[in-house]
């Protein structure tokens, strides 16, 4: 599905109150204080920020609401938060402290009705369904708990179901590409874009400006999410947007 301006979204993976970055979901490195990092992206021209409490589901605890509240106070662009969201009250608590959208992953797989119920109560525009997908033989399976558990569920079928149940966006991470900086899995992105008519956020694998351009052109994504290339200042957001603009990709400058 083609929307107007393509969005650039830095992702803050948060563990123990610090921004971290790993490769294929492991080997985490410290990348700073979440409030400082978010503020920097707000000032540098990001379109949105996604904040993922990456061990909340695995550790069976709630998202760190107090940090979300601090981040929301400092930024003026949309903030999406995920990790450890299991029930409608969790969503309410996050929206109440200033986040704009929530991302649900493990809880939606375990209880798909959470998608319908949350979309009905808060509006589809607030509900992002995150999918962590990995190639298993000739299809993609979705994984639970930060990529630890193979559900055996087909990612394309699940994306379609999430869309039918009222999800407003799909945050699609290729676990095979995550942290490798070798490019997005555009076959996966395009396959899911073909079956839903809501925005797809491509995640996992950004290493160069060209990779992000390819996610929009080959992967038919509506937004590109990345972490380490922005955290470690390998790519400047406004330089990236100017590059995309020169390649006739609509962005907000």
């Amino acid at each position: 599905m083609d929307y107007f301006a393509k969005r650039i979204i830095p992702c803050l993976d948060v563990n123990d109150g610090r921004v971290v970055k790993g490769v294929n979901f492991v080997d985490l490195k410290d990348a700073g204080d979440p409030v400082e990092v978010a503020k920097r992206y707000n000032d540098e021209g990001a379109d949105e920020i996604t904040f993922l409490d990456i061990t909340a589901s695995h550790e069976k605890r709630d998202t760190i609401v107090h940090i979300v509240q601090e981040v929301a106070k400092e930024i003026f662009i949309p903030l999406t938060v995920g990790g450890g969201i299991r029930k409608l009250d969790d969503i309410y608590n996050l929206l109440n402290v200033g986040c704009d959208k929530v991302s649900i992953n493990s809880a939606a797989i375990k209880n798909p009705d959470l998608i319908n119920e949350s979309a009905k109560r808060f509006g589809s525009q607030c509900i992002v369904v995150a999918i962590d997908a990995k190639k298993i033989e000739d299809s993609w399976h979705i994984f639970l708990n930060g990529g630890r558990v193979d559900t055996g569920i087909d990612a394309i079928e699940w994306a379609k179901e999430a869309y039918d149940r009222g999800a407003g966006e799909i945050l699609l991470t290729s676990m095979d590409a995550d942290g490798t900086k070798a490019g997005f899995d555009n076959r996966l992105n395009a396959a899911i874009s073909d079956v839903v008519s809501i925005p797809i956020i491509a995640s996992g694998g950004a290493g160069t400006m060209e990779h992000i351009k390819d996610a929009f052109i080959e992967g038919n994504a509506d937004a590109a999410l990345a972490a380490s290339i922005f955290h470690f200042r390998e790519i400047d957001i406004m330089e990236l947007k100017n590059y995309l603009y020169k390649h006739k990709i609509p962005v907000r400058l």
Side-chain angles (χ1 to χ4, degrees):
M1 178 88 182
D2 196 10
Y3 286 73
F4 294 112
K6 303 293 189 184
R7 290 170 289 147
I8 302 300
I9 307 177
C11 180
L12 279 57
D13 289 335
V14 177
N15 184 33
D16 289 335
R18 300 288 292 174
V19 180
V20 293
K21 187 59 203 136
V23 177
N24 302 117
F25 285 47
V26 293
D27 296 330
L28 303 178
K29 283 195 188 80
D30 187 271
D33 170 70
V35 180
E36 292 302 313
V37 175
K39 200 162 176 263
R40 191 183 104 207
Y41 290 137
N42 180 88
D43 298 344
E44 287 178 1
D47 295 300
E48 295 184 13
I49 289 174
T50 291
F51 182 110
L52 299 176
D53 186 353
I54 55 171
T55 53
S57 293
H58 176 61
E59 293 168 2
K60 297 187 173 53
R61 60 173 172 75
D62 296 338
T63 310
I64 32 186
V65 173
H66 63 286
I67 297 184
V68 173
Q69 186 166 18
E70 290 303 308
V71 169
K73 275 189 216 155
E74 294 290 341
I75 66 171
F76 304 97
I77 52 178
L79 173 65
T80 300
V81 178
I85 297 166
R86 289 183 286 276
K87 52 192 189 295
L88 292 177
D89 282 353
D90 298 335
I91 299 173
Y92 173 79
N93 291 338
L94 287 166
L95 296 174
N96 202 36
V97 296
C99 94
D100 301 276
K101 298 183 253 189
V102 296
S103 168
I104 51 177
N105 186 338
S106 299
I109 298 163
K110 291 172 185 164
N111 172 23
D113 287 340
L114 182 63
I115 305 172
N116 323 34
E117 289 162 7
S118 57
K120 193 172 168 191
R121 179 157 164 198
F122 305 108
S124 284
Q125 78 286 351
C126 291
I127 308 303
V128 179
V129 171
I131 298 176
D132 295 334
K134 188 172 189 173
K135 193 95 195 281
I136 304 289
E137 291 170 6
D138 54 358
S139 66
W140 289 276
H141 287 189
I142 55 173
F143 279 66
L144 279 172
N145 292 2
R148 291 174 177 82
V149 181
D150 182 358
T151 63
I153 298 167
D154 180 88
I156 296 171
E157 292 300 314
W158 173 239
K160 190 170 185 321
E161 181 177 343
Y163 163 63
D164 290 341
R165 286 177 175 272
E169 289 186 279
I170 302 281
L171 168 54
L172 181 58
T173 301
S174 162
M175 291 176 59
D176 300 304
D178 179 68
T180 63
K181 297 189 188 171
F184 293 91
D185 186 340
N186 289 318
R187 283 184 55 217
L188 172 63
N189 293 332
I192 289 186
S193 179
D194 284 347
V195 298
V196 302
S197 55
I198 51 176
I200 300 287
I201 303 164
S203 165
T208 66
M209 295 192 193
E210 190 177 5
H211 290 156
I212 292 174
K213 169 175 69 81
D214 291 345
F216 294 137
I217 295 171
E218 294 167 20
N220 205 13
D222 302 279
L225 178 142
S228 53
I229 57 168
F230 298 138
H231 297 339
F232 303 120
R233 298 180 188 269
E234 292 160 35
I235 290 180
D236 175 85
I237 292 173
M238 287 316 291
E239 282 174 19
L240 169 61
K241 286 187 165 188
N242 284 318
Y243 166 86
L244 293 169
Y245 182 74
K246 281 182 190 138
H247 285 87
K248 305 202 167 23
I249 291 167
V251 287
R252 293 184 190 92
L253 291 170

